[in-house]
Amino acid sequence: MHQHKVRVYYEDTDAGGIVYYANYLKFMERARTEWLRELGYEQDTLMEQSVAFVVKRVEMHNYAPARFNQLLSIETHVVELKGASMTFQQIIKNEQDIKLVSGDIQVVCVDLATMKAKRLPRTLLGEISRVI
Amino acid sequence: MHQHKVRVYYEDTDAGGIVYYANYLKFMERARTEWLRELGYEQDTLMEQSVAFVVKRVEMHNYAPARFNQLLSIETHVVELKGASMTFQQIIKNEQDIKLVSGDIQVVCVDLATMKAKRLPRTLLGEISRVI
Amino acid sequence: MHQHKVRVYYEDTDAGGIVYYANYLKFMERARTEWLRELGYEQDTLMEQSVAFVVKRVEMHNYAPARFNQLLSIETHVVELKGASMTFQQIIKNEQDIKLVSGDIQVVCVDLATMKAKRLPRTLLGEISRVI
Amino acid sequence: MHQHKVRVYYEDTDAGGIVYYANYLKFMERARTEWLRELGYEQDTLMEQSVAFVVKRVEMHNYAPARFNQLLSIETHVVELKGASMTFQQIIKNEQDIKLVSGDIQVVCVDLATMKAKRLPRTLLGEISRVI
């Protein structure tokens, strides 16, 4: 299971004193990017090959708020892999290992020129199927 | 049904040339704020009474991307109302009336001091039950 | 002088209870976009002609904080126009007409393909010189 | 001189394919937070003592754009220290050590309850004067 740390800065919080709800999706996207990087794939290189990822579906549950200056930990793993899409389960925890937020995120591989779905690059598909 | 217009500015887009997925949740929150304002409730006034709203659950489906400079329209209505929470269904459409994104957002009323759930203010509960 | 209204939503604030300082630059960019639209120029159309604008220099003074739910007003005017760049002076005021933030923003016209500076389109240059 | 690394994610970029200009101010604020942390000061603890920092003045120069997926490095040092304010000079470089952005940021210490300027805490003032 992949883990990525995120610090909560002022920019992430709102006047309620907690992390603004949309920003958890930013944290999860950072974690997916780092997960992909550890598999050996840089998204700027993929974009040069006209390969990009678009989020198709989000299901997020917020159990407890994250607060300014906390160091969060995001666990990421793939729970479903199809030819042109994959679904991640991601869990955000605080330093006391309490689950704050969970997300199921379905991501579709698209051709950057047309934005139409296409199969994941063969080698990447192979890499991912090895780790799930 | 309540409708709110949102212009897509540079700040909302990403290097893929489309609206960054987390930003649809910003647009939906703006629309919920305007929906509440039209009911006669200003959230800064509610906060002075220690009443705030926290998102508990998000289910978002992305059908097609919104792009830079588009004028989006967000339809908002309440589909479930309980004592301490309500669930909104929100749909984002482009100028051709094509559905781009839909979201089911469950919002919980909390006491700002303790962040614990509490019943919606009685008069607000009455107002909302009249419009759904 | 061009004026654009911006509502402060939760997304714009931070845990200090005020608008996060970087977000004033978002508000100013929205106002410049609307200023350009009123001159008859849509930036998505300009981008199709490989014309884009890049900020070169920002000088921002923060006199007093804007707060959640305020309706801000942004005044925009061009104070310098050169062949490939223009400098805006922008002032953000609250509903009591108190100046909260001022910004001098120098924007350079670039070729989107190379990101190199190039002259503003001739007709646009003409339009702007008429209004300053 | 303090150095902090920041990865450019999708959330930081815009449809022009580069980092959105306001987001450099987020990166600089993260770096100032980490600089303060290394001096031994956590901002959530300071906030509990009603001490917060508000940006008073920004002067930012953008020499070249940062792009998606780059690993940026932010150099931070204090160039002026007064009783109630300090001015930072911050430089953002890419992996080839090219200067992309520079910023002079004046930050004022405020009482969180009143938002009025007040002297920096004595021990913090001592720490900072030792490192500049």
Side-chain angles (χ1 to χ4, degrees), chain A residues 4 7 9 30, chain D residues 2-9 26-28 30-32 34-35 38 70-76 91-97:
Chain A
H4 178 64
R7 175 70 70 174
Y9 293 107
R30 294 182 201 172
Chain D
H2 181 266
Q3 203 181 49
H4 177 65
K5 299 277 186 187
V6 166
R7 176 69 69 173
V8 178
Y9 294 107
K26 293 186 177 181
F27 299 167
M28 290 183 192
R30 294 181 201 173
R32 294 195 303 273
E34 296 306 331
W35 168 86
E38 287 195 15
Q70 287 183 335
L71 188 62
L72 306 178
S73 159
I74 305 171
E75 299 173 4
T76 298
I91 294 170
I92 303 179
K93 295 180 172 174
N94 66 12
E95 289 172 89
Q96 288 71 46
D97 213 39

Side-chain angles (χ1 to χ4, degrees), chain A residues 32-91:
Chain A
R32 293 194 303 272
T33 296
E34 296 307 330
W35 167 86
L36 200 54
R37 197 188 317 283
E38 287 195 16
L39 282 186
Y41 291 83
E42 299 286 337
Q43 283 192 76
D44 50 354
T45 311
L46 288 171
M47 282 175 85
E48 287 166 16
Q49 300 158 14
S50 200
V51 173
F53 298 101
V54 169
V55 172
K56 194 73 191 159
R57 198 179 61 80
V58 167
E59 191 174 331
M60 176 167 65
H61 289 263
N62 298 68
Y63 303 104
R67 293 178 181 282
F68 175 62
N69 213 33
Q70 288 182 334
L71 188 62
L72 306 177
S73 160
I74 304 171
E75 300 172 2
T76 298
H77 61 271
V78 176
V79 289
E80 193 184 50
L81 178 64
K82 292 179 177 175
S85 83
M86 49 190 162
T87 301
F88 294 87
Q89 188 170 85
Q90 300 191 278
I91 293 170

